Amino acid sequence: MLNPAPKDFDVADYNMVITADEGFKEDTGGDWSLQITNYQTYISVMPFTYEELDDITPEEIYSLQNEDIFTRREDTKVLEEEAKKTENGKTIIRTAFSAVLDGEENYYVCYLVDIPESEICAWVLVTTLPEYYDSIKEKSDTIVASLDVKS
């Protein structure tokens, strides 16, 4: 089976873009700068300029956002410990969790994409059901890694 052609999505009010398969569509619900879905997975992007962060580091915003999201969920468990990698001028931090929301277990992968040269970062939340996680894990990592400043 051929992979669907990639499609770029602009991150509202920020000079950023993320690339996903054509099976993804923009979802205008929620308080995100950008949320896309293929109806099995939601990828939600919340960017911050370093100026907006004031005295908070990108790593601190990552921790604060993770804490905030999971205070509104139950039975949170770490599925995959925090991993950090730096490539192509970006640092990406990733941690996977399971948690219950409204009585249903979901898997959540929290990312920080930090682009120091452009003084911008983004907290990204990938949400899916447990039965889809193995099939979307690599794809969501690739999509999140595509998040970048427009050239």
Side-chain angles (χ1 to χ4, degrees), residues 42-115:
Y42 286 84
I43 299 175
S44 309
V45 181
M46 185 177 290
F48 301 91
T49 64
Y50 282 18
E51 185 178 323
E52 289 171 327
L53 293 178
D54 200 22
D55 291 330
I56 299 173
T57 68
E59 290 84 3
E60 289 170 328
I61 199 69
Y62 175 72
S63 295
L64 290 168
Q65 292 297 118
N66 290 354
E67 288 172 22
D68 180 60
I69 198 84
F70 293 113
T71 59
R72 293 178 271 132
R73 284 150 179 75
E74 299 173 350
D75 199 24
T76 301
K77 297 176 186 130
V78 175
L79 296 174
E80 296 176 34
E81 295 293 333
E82 183 175 295
K84 183 177 184 177
K85 69 179 180 178
T86 301
E87 59 185 38
N88 302 322
K90 293 185 266 190
T91 299
I92 300 175
I93 300 174
R94 175 193 191 283
T95 312
F97 301 88
S98 69
V100 176
L101 178 65
D102 299 329
E104 184 170 14
E105 182 182 30
N106 289 288
Y107 281 12
Y108 301 90
V109 187
C110 301
Y111 297 85
L112 172 72
V113 179
D114 185 18
I115 310 169

Side-chain angles (χ1 to χ4, degrees), residues 27-35 44-47 72:
D27 180 357
T28 56
D31 296 328
W32 304 94
S33 292
L34 174 68
Q35 186 170 49
S44 309
V45 181
M46 185 177 290
R72 293 178 271 132

